[in-house]
Amino acid sequence: MAGGHGVMAVIPDRHVLIVAGSDSSGGAGIARDVETVAAFGLRACLAVTAVTVQTHDVVERVEQMPPDLIAAQMRAAFAANAIAAVKIGMLGSADAITAVASVLASRLPLPVVLDPVLASTSGRALLAMDAVEILKRRLMPLCTLVTPNLPELALLSDKSAGGIPGSNEATIVEQSRRLLESGVPALLVKGGHAEGDRSVDLLLRAGKAPVRFQAPRLDVRMRGTGCMLASAIAARLGLGDDLETATGKAKDHVFEKLGREERRPGPNSPRIDGLRIAGNSIPDL
């Protein structure tokens, strides 16, 4: 079983295509994605969108891959493997978003999970607003699930409001409604930036009641939890779970990993509340 309950046999004919950036520290990005997919018994294949030079404390350099190279990597992965699901992380530019959307459009239906890297945990924008608009218009409607945190949801739902994160469930549901009406099939809004002793994630779909996933808020030192959660959901969808079941199993996997880290903190790692890093501007890639 995944998440430390034993070793799961690898399923050789099922791959998750990971479209994301590298992280030289190994804390987030593709390194975290591959690790997570393997925990569920699937293999990973890759389309690298950016190469970063970073430690657990600072990003020193970022080199974007040419959009045509990103698209070529994706096409090669599809040609070489049986792709059961796709996980998308850092894209970095409007041209990269367009390239990824163009390849995916010809491969659907296929489970696609997008972890939108739009802002740091302090709310600083990481994509120009024209790129955010292209993400919303070209890529998000192709995805099975988009997994924003609260600052990312605010930026996606209404840039004119200044990207102010919702402070209560009613505001979060309203911000999500605008995106669902624009054609996004489903959102998992992560509550790690909220207050309280429990972290609540909301699964929101048009015409359906919100589904709440709750867990105790942990004081844990770990990066890459957004990568881990999105990759775990993609893996479970690739194994045939429905969206709600896949999300629940993925949340259990991440919470178990966080519980292990809580018992062995490192000296220089950032602090996490629930399932999202707090007090750190390094994005999940």
Side-chain angles (χ1 to χ4, degrees), residues 118-224:
L118 305 180
S120 70
T121 52
S122 62
R124 179 174 62 87
L126 297 172
L127 273 181
M129 286 313 303
D130 63 338
V132 173
E133 290 303 312
I134 291 171
L135 185 78
K136 291 165 61 176
R137 185 174 69 252
R138 292 290 307 276
L139 184 57
M140 287 173 57
L142 302 179
C143 297
T144 307
L145 179 69
V146 181
T147 63
N149 59 30
L150 295 180
E152 289 163 347
L153 175 66
L155 285 170
L156 286 167
S157 65
D158 188 4
K159 66 179 181 180
S160 64
I164 300 173
S167 59
N168 55 63
E169 185 170 310
T171 302
I172 293 167
V173 169
E174 174 60 24
Q175 290 177 337
S176 300
R177 181 187 61 79
R178 300 169 197 162
L179 294 176
L180 295 172
E181 290 178 349
S182 73
V184 179
L187 295 164
L188 180 67
V189 181
K190 297 174 288 191
H193 283 80
E195 301 296 329
D197 59 0
R198 297 188 70 80
S199 177
V200 181
D201 293 1
L202 291 176
L203 178 61
L204 299 159
R205 294 160 289 183
K208 295 187 177 182
V211 178
R212 296 168 184 84
F213 297 90
Q214 300 188 47
R217 194 177 298 278
L218 302 177
D219 184 357
V220 182
R221 295 171 174 87
M222 179 186 280
R223 292 179 48 235

Side-chain angles (χ1 to χ4, degrees), residues 4 7 14 34 41 50 77 88 92-93 109-110 119-120 127 130 134-135 157 160 162 165 172 196 241 247 258 272:
V7 177
R14 294 192 187 182
V34 171
I88 304 172
S93 72
L110 182 71
S120 70
L127 273 181
D130 63 338
I134 291 171
L135 185 78
S157 65
S160 64
I172 293 167
D241 288 346
T247 302
L258 289 171
I272 286 181

